[in-house]
Amino acid sequence: MPQDRRSFIGGLALAALLPGGCASASPPPPARVGGPWTAFSARFLSPDGRIVDTGNGGISHSEGQGYGMLLAEAAGDRAGFDRLWAWTSHALSRTDVRLFSWRFDPAAANPVGDPNDASDGDILIAWALLRASLRWKVGEYGQQSAAIRGAIRKHLIRQVGARTVLLPGIAGFDTPGLLTLNPSYYIWPALDAFLAADGAAAWGAVLRDGEQILAEARFGTHKLITDWIEIDSAGVRPARGKPPQFGFDAVRVPLYLAWGKRRAALAPFRDFWSDCLTRHVAIPAWIDVVSGAQAPYALSDGGMAVVDITLGRRPRSARGGDYFSTALGALAALAAT
């Protein structure tokens, strides 16, 4: 299932932290984001078109393929984009629905041992194809994106009470009366682009209710969101059976909010990170919203690029870390355009 713990540890300096812690469908100009894609692809793009997760044993994810396709499109690299899309479509496409298996392990006898999808990967791939269809005027890209968007609506959108929500994957997150969600799978600029392409009847409730869920999912002293939440008719809370942390998944929530121009929703993240910076203490890689416990190591350079864009600053370079840190930095640079 798409629940790998992200590795922020490699290359990070350990930090002594104080208790208590601290939409448009049009693509951007390519010249402004070529640098991040050039550096990212040189380190993580294999010759066959696979993005390699160096922090998790060399596996690949539908998420990473989507990141790569977005960055290649934004850089105007059609050859790179086509290579990524060809591998993704061949290796990860499910045979039953137009979605993508979330994990590929080249060392396994069956590299795609878990056929389940991850909705963030599906969304990223569909968004990248939509953007590519607009940039290069290729109808096939647009048709593929539309088919994926339709499958997302059919298989990953559920009702819980009066709310319309986005499931993290087809299987494993929907029990009677209770749904488990990953807030970082709401990729707001992509959903805005889908709304522009397909209309409010298709996506309006997903965006409206998703924004409301995020507004309610503020926990602990710092009112931070957790990596996983659950929702039923009684409300929203940290998901049981998972660490109640603002951590390796949830750090993408402010990235996508900033990218989607939802500045008001960034207030809790700005407050927490600004407090750390004001007190000159390292920002922790995660914080437990219930106990207040913090990671004994600092946020990666890629995570700090997210901090920068959240605080309205130019995102720093994050080219020396592992796959996930570098991807965060590259995405922050793209969002800043």
Side-chain angles (χ1 to χ4, degrees):
M1 299 300 292
Q3 300 176 19
D4 276 0
R5 186 177 181 84
R6 306 297 182 185
S7 173
F8 272 46
I9 303 176
L12 300 180
L14 294 183
L17 305 177
L18 296 180
C22 13
S24 167
S26 300
R32 301 178 67 183
V33 292
W37 169 237
T38 298
F40 185 81
S41 61
R43 295 186 58 208
F44 305 109
L45 177 61
S46 69
D48 61 356
R50 183 169 74 90
I51 298 294
V52 179
D53 183 348
T54 58
N56 277 298
I59 65 174
S60 294
H61 316 267
S62 59
E63 155 215 285
Q65 297 303 118
Y67 289 159
M69 290 169 65
L70 275 178
L71 293 166
E73 177 277 322
D77 180 4
R78 184 169 174 184
F81 181 92
D82 285 342
R83 185 153 46 114
L84 284 155
W85 172 229
W87 185 90
T88 303
S89 185
H90 173 74
L92 298 182
S93 289
R94 291 176 55 131
T95 58
D96 55 344
V97 295
R98 194 66 182 112
L99 300 172
F100 301 87
S101 298
W102 76 280
R103 189 176 191 269
F104 181 92
D105 184 355
N110 177 10
V112 185
D114 181 357
N116 203 18
D117 68 312
S119 57
D120 66 332
D122 300 326
I123 289 169
L124 289 162
I125 292 165
W127 186 30
L129 285 163
L130 178 60
R131 289 166 60 104
S133 74
L134 297 170
R135 180 181 295 283
W136 292 306
K137 311 303 180 187
V138 177
E140 175 66 15
Y141 294 153
Q143 293 164 16
Q144 293 289 346
S145 175
I148 299 164
R149 299 195 308 268
I152 292 169
R153 292 197 305 272
K154 181 176 181 180
H155 298 285
L156 297 173
I157 305 302
R158 292 285 188 279
Q159 294 293 132
V160 55
R163 301 185 201 253
T164 301
V165 302
L166 172 70
L167 289 181
I170 290 178
F173 303 99
D174 184 357
T175 57
L178 178 69
L179 301 180
T180 301
L181 309 181
N182 188 314
S184 73
Y185 286 14
Y186 281 81
I187 304 171
W188 297 107
L191 295 173
D192 289 338
F194 295 174
L195 179 70
D198 301 325
W203 296 101
V206 176
L207 274 80
R208 181 196 65 233
D209 294 348
E211 290 173 343
Q212 182 59 40
I213 290 167
L214 259 65
E216 295 176 22
R218 307 295 190 178
F219 312 114
T221 302
H222 303 288
K223 305 300 181 185
L224 297 172
I225 204 162
T226 49
D227 293 335
W228 293 89
I229 62 175
E230 60 185 31
I231 179 170
D232 59 17
S233 58
V236 182
R237 55 190 169 272
R240 286 166 287 189
K242 301 181 185 297
Q245 294 175 351
F246 171 63
F248 303 115
D249 278 341
V251 71
R252 295 178 295 188
V253 172
L255 168 64
Y256 297 145
L257 287 170
W259 200 343
K261 297 179 172 56
R262 289 162 170 82
R263 302 298 301 181
L266 290 171
F269 310 105
R270 283 198 305 262
D271 292 346
F272 175 62
W273 285 334
S274 294
D275 177 65
C276 291
L277 295 173
T278 299
R279 294 187 293 113
H280 303 289
V281 299
I283 293 175
W286 54 260
I287 180 170
D288 186 310
V289 302
V290 175
S291 70
Q294 300 176 2
Y297 46 89
L299 195 59
S300 68
D301 285 343
M304 289 302 300
V306 175
V307 173
D308 290 335
I309 196 170
T310 301
L311 298 181
R313 307 187 306 201
R314 180 183 179 87
R316 70 197 66 196
S317 172
R319 300 183 184 183
D322 65 11
Y323 148 79
F324 192 57
S325 173
T326 308
L328 286 178
L331 294 171
L334 177 55
T337 65

